[in-house]
């Protein structure tokens, strides 16, 4: 999934604009460190899905526990992106990057050693927060060290690494469980990032330059805004994730409470924005195309992020596939995405916004074909049918994520691209956590539960398709 961490920063910029000369000899080695960090944070998103059935058995975890393991990571990732980016800008990215890497390593160790689902969930939330601390430092360092065509190449490499890590995650997880057993395999899956993260910390000390922070008025990280947003999203997630265990209908009142808190967040950000730098700059939402792009991203990430969770769960627990076989089939989605994403840069110039709608149609058709493929799955031919359906959905995915980011950020001035990119990424991560929770509300491993969950998945994608079509018409009307 290329460019999801790049923040959509343009490849231009003047030399020395961030206090570093483009000819800094450390820049390519520093980029290598950043790519390793990007690889490991995205690996931990895709690799854990294939280990969930083993975690359920080993830790006696409930379906809602497994939901928090995956959605908690995405939730924490999204919450800290903007504050961590601002903190790195104000205090220097080197130390913040190293801190995030160390925290990620420690959280990975705790996750793999967890003796119960509670400890595992807490560790995964801390892991997600650590990934959110590192992500804006990676993009900030690329902006700091590269400019012009070199910056474009650097962001392109970052996108390629993210695609590769997403594709290799299910395969690596399946291999570890296959050869070390269900009981120990899931711990190895969660510990696989430890040696990579340790290498990242060592190399970061040596190759990531320490930025000379200019004396300037420090930007606020808006802690009150972060807490209000966290409370609003948690109130939204609770009845979805805990719906199966929490039978009382009063739980749905939390959705109303969530709406009230999120409305309060908007009011706070507007008030705070008149006095300092808010977490979310509400003036961005005066631009219709930007609003539609962020909404599309949030809805789409709510749908497609849950695909790996949904498919690997049902393949293993519904169809009794091995973890390795489930990982191989799940990887076809990522491979299809990587293939079409490589072409999307050229296609986006030729076809414009209709490309997003076409990609969303492909994802919808692919997901729609997945259910009958699963139902008719018998022997080797059934596995090929599932792989073909997921590959088609992956092809559509590659035509959506990066092009939408390009179109969305082109709607804002260059000077606001960094803030706009941070808001877009936050919307993606929060959308992912809500989508995972919504899909998990259809608890169970039987065919009916899978159909229900897949339908919820497709509703998110179809909602994103409606937004994409509206965006096409708005653009054409504006150009008349």
């Amino acid at each position: 999934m290329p460019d999801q961490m790049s923040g959509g920063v343009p490849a231009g910029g003047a030399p020395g604009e961030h206090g570093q000369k483009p000819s800094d000899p450390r820049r390519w080695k520093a980029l290598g460190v950043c790519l390793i960090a990007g690889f490991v944070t995205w690996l931990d998103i895709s690799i854990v899905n294939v280990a969930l059935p083993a975690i359920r058995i080993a830790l006696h975890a409930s379906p809602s526990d497994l939901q928090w393991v995956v959605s908690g990571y995405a939730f924490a990732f999204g919450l800290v992106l903007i504050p961590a980016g601002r903190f790195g800008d104000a205090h220097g990215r080197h130390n913040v990057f190293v801190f995030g890497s160390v925290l990620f390593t420690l959280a990975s160790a705790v996750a793999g050693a967890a003796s119960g689902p509670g400890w595992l969930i807490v560790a995964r939330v801390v892991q997600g927060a650590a990934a959110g601390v590192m992500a804006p430092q990676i993009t900030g360092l690329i902006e700091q060290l590269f400019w012009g065509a070199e910056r474009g190449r650097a962001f392109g490499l970052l996108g390629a690494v993210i695609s590769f890590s997403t594709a290799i995650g299910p395969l690596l997880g399946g291999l570890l469980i296959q050869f070390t057993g269900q009981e120990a395999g899931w711990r190895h899956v969660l510990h696989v990032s430890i040696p990579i993260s340790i290498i990242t910390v060592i190399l970061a000390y040596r190759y990531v330059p320490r930025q000379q922070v200019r004396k300037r008025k420090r930007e606020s990280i808006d802690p009150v805004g972060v807490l209000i947003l966290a409370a609003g999203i948690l109130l939204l997630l609770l009845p979805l994730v805990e719906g199966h265990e929490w039978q009382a209908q009063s739980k749905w009142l939390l959705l109303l409470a969530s709406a009230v808190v999120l409305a309060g967040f908007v009011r706070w950000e507007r008030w705070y924005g008149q006095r300092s730098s808010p977490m979310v700059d509400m003036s961005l939402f005066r631009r219709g195309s930007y609003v539609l792009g962020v909404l599309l991203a949030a809805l789409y990430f709510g749908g497609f992020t849950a695909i790996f969770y949904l498919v690997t769960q049902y393949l293993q627990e519904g169809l009794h596939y091995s973890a390795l076989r489930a990982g191989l089939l799940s990887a076809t989605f990522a491979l299809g995405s990587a293939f079409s994403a490589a072409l999307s840069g050229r296609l986006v110039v030729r076809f414009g916004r209709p490309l997003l709608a076409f990609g969303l149609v492909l994802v919808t058709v692919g997901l729609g074909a997945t259910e009958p493929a699963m139902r008719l799955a018998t022997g080797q031919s059934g596995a090929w049918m599932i792989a073909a359906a997921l590959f088609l959905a992956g092809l559509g995915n590659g035509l959506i994520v990066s092009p939408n980011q390009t179109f969305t950020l082109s709607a804002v001035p260059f000077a606001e691209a960094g803030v706009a990119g941070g808001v877009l990424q936050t919307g993606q991560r929060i959308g992912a956590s809500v989508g995972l929770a919504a899909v998990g509300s259809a608890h169970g491993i039987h065919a009916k539960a899978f159909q229900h969950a897949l339908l919820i998945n497709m509703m998110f994608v179809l909602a994103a398709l409606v937004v994409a079509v509206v965006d096409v018409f708005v653009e054409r009307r504006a150009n008349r």
Side-chain angles (χ1 to χ4, degrees), residues 274-293:
Q274 296 172 355
R275 292 156 179 80
S276 187
S277 300
M279 179 181 177
V280 176
D281 184 355
M282 291 298 167
S283 67
L284 289 169
F285 294 96
R286 295 172 188 163
R287 299 177 173 87
S289 189
Y290 180 78
V291 173
L292 290 171

Side-chain angles (χ1 to χ4, degrees), residues 26-36 142 145-146 154 157:
R26 297 167 294 180
R27 66 192 187 282
W28 292 108
K29 292 177 180 178
L31 175 64
V33 179
C34 291
L35 295 182
I36 295 172
I142 292 175
L145 296 171
F146 298 91
L157 287 169

Side-chain angles (χ1 to χ4, degrees), residues 104-469:
F104 191 88
T105 307
L106 295 174
S108 300
V110 173
S115 57
W119 276 110
L120 178 57
I121 291 167
V122 171
R124 285 287 293 175
V125 170
V126 175
Q127 259 191 323
V133 168
M134 285 191 283
Q137 314 317 320
I138 292 171
T139 56
L141 283 164
I142 292 175
E143 290 183 287
Q144 173 186 330
L145 296 171
F146 298 91
W147 68 285
E150 280 195 346
R151 187 184 291 180
R153 285 175 58 197
F155 276 123
L157 287 169
L158 178 61
V161 165
I162 291 170
S163 293
F164 176 72
S165 64
T166 306
I168 203 70
L171 296 177
L172 181 57
L175 283 169
L176 287 169
I177 292 173
Q178 182 80 14
F179 292 107
T180 61
Q182 290 273 340
E183 188 173 342
W186 71 269
R187 296 190 186 275
H188 293 309
V189 164
L190 292 169
H191 277 158
V192 75
S193 60
I194 295 176
I196 305 174
S197 298
I198 291 173
I199 292 170
T200 303
V201 173
I202 294 171
L203 294 178
Y205 265 108
R206 183 167 184 178
Y207 296 121
V208 173
R210 285 174 169 80
Q211 180 186 10
Q212 296 296 319
V213 182
R214 297 174 183 174
K215 290 185 178 180
R216 58 176 179 170
K217 183 180 178 181
R218 291 182 179 177
E219 290 189 53
S220 168
I221 60 173
D222 189 10
V224 175
V226 174
L227 289 174
I228 296 174
L229 181 60
I233 299 301
L234 276 175
L235 288 170
L236 178 61
L237 293 178
L238 276 171
L240 298 175
V241 175
E242 300 291 340
H244 192 65
E245 282 76 15
W246 188 0
Q247 297 292 337
Q249 294 302 308
S250 58
K251 65 190 175 189
W252 300 114
L253 292 175
L254 293 178
L255 297 181
L256 178 61
S258 172
V260 172
V261 173
L262 292 175
F265 170 74
V266 173
R267 292 288 299 271
W268 166 264
E269 293 297 284
R270 284 177 176 164
W271 179 85
Y272 192 73
Q274 296 172 355
R275 292 156 179 80
S276 187
S277 300
M279 179 181 177
V280 176
D281 184 355
M282 291 298 167
S283 67
L284 289 169
F285 294 96
R286 295 172 188 163
R287 299 177 173 87
S289 189
Y290 180 78
V291 173
L292 290 171
V294 171
L295 179 59
L296 188 152
L299 289 169
Y300 181 65
F301 269 67
F304 106 90
T305 308
I307 292 171
F308 293 105
Y309 171 85
L310 184 61
V311 170
T312 52
Q313 284 276 86
Y314 185 66
L315 285 174
Q316 291 180 83
E317 304 214 37
L319 300 182
H320 308 292
Y321 281 27
S322 69
L324 178 58
R325 196 178 185 192
L328 283 166
L329 287 175
S330 299
T332 57
F333 179 93
L335 290 174
S337 177
F339 177 77
S340 58
L343 302 175
S344 65
R346 283 172 286 178
L347 295 174
V348 76
V349 176
R350 182 174 179 183
F351 295 103
R353 281 180 170 82
L355 182 67
L356 298 177
F358 178 68
L360 286 161
V361 168
L362 286 182
V363 173
T364 304
V365 173
L367 291 181
T370 300
E371 191 278 326
M374 295 277 198
R375 184 159 32 88
L376 301 173
T378 53
Q380 195 66 27
S381 60
W384 281 109
M385 289 170 60
I386 296 169
L390 291 174
F391 184 78
L392 179 63
L395 286 176
N397 176 69
L399 301 178
I400 298 166
V401 178
S402 292
N404 180 60
Q405 189 159 273
T406 300
F407 290 131
T408 303
L409 296 180
S410 68
V412 300
F414 176 83
E416 299 177 34
V419 175
V423 172
L424 177 62
Q425 288 187 69
T426 299
Q428 290 171 347
R429 301 291 158 263
I430 290 175
S433 62
V434 172
L436 285 162
V439 166
S441 65
H443 289 306
I445 58 173
H446 51 83
K448 285 286 185 184
F450 175 75
Q451 291 171 3
H452 182 197
L454 190 63
L455 180 62
I456 295 171
N457 212 205
M458 292 176 65
M459 286 173 64
F460 274 98
V461 177
L462 285 169
L465 176 58
V466 171
V467 174
V469 172

